[in-house]
Amino acid sequence: GAGVSQSPSNKVTEKGKDVELRCDPISGHTALYWYRQRLGQGLEFLIYFQGNSAPDKSGLPSDRFSAERTGESVSTLTIQRTQQEDSAVYLCASSSRPGPDTQYFGPGTRLTVL
Amino acid sequence: AQSVTQPDIHITVSEGASLELRCNYSYGATPYLFWYVQSPGQGLQLLLKYFSGDTLVQGIKGFEAEFKRSQSSFNLRKPSVHWSDAAEYFCAVGAENYGGSQGNLIFGKGTKLSVKP
């Protein structure tokens, strides 16, 4: 596709369940970013991939959060044992190269934890 | 720690009026600055960016922003607002961690713009 896509667009889950969020970046983009947007807040950086490697995982809010990227393409963000405070919109962005450059954002996945 | 402040949570302007959205940042070196717009149900779209050079930057949709190092500001302006400009606007700065090599962004909390007919 022409842009960054994310699935699902909406996810409602029960507290304690695991969820997987998917991001398909723009083809050929080597840098991939995950952000979290809580209601009324700015975007909070979670993790960055250069190729399939995540050199810095310090933005992940807890050890319940993990992410991987394969084939220098698709990335999945997994949240285990979801909590209500995990409710947010999770945004993925990609860029043609690491470092300061234009990031192209997907439409996001709205996660609601009941 | 780096931060971005957008002092106005919500602004309402009349269609055709001028607009200025404020953004202040804290950063040690020369910042990489961005303005993004988020329409309801949409992802973020880049309006403009400043890396170096001319401090007045032109963007899409008739927006411009001016980098003022002495004021640590990067305010967004538009001379005449259209109803379709109603959206949420985010200012962001490139993070300094790892010498900026990662490129992750630090965002302000956003300013919601409403446009009166």
Side-chain angles (χ1 to χ4, degrees), chain A residues 37-100:
Chain A
Q37 185 178 24
R38 289 172 160 162
L39 189 64
Q41 301 294 312
L43 279 71
E44 172 190 6
F45 168 68
L46 297 179
I47 192 168
Y48 153 73
F49 285 93
Q50 174 52 31
N52 293 332
S53 299
D56 179 16
K57 301 181 180 179
S58 62
L60 295 175
S62 78
D63 58 8
R64 296 185 295 104
F65 286 71
S66 63
E68 66 174 14
R69 187 180 185 193
T70 57
E72 297 196 353
S73 180
V74 172
S75 177
T76 54
L77 177 68
T78 302
I79 309 173
Q80 296 179 309
R81 305 181 303 280
T82 52
Q83 304 294 312
Q84 288 185 332
E85 63 262 26
D86 300 333
S87 296
V89 176
Y90 290 82
L91 290 158
C92 173
S94 70
S95 178
S96 60
R97 60 186 180 93

Side-chain angles (χ1 to χ4, degrees), chain A residues 33 35 37 42 56 99-100 102-103, chain B residues 36 38 49 101-103 105 108:
Chain A
Y33 305 85
Y35 294 89
Q37 185 178 24
D56 179 16
T102 301
Q103 294 181 21
Chain B
Y36 280 86
Q38 186 177 37
K49 63 187 178 186
S101 63
Q102 289 193 160
L105 302 177

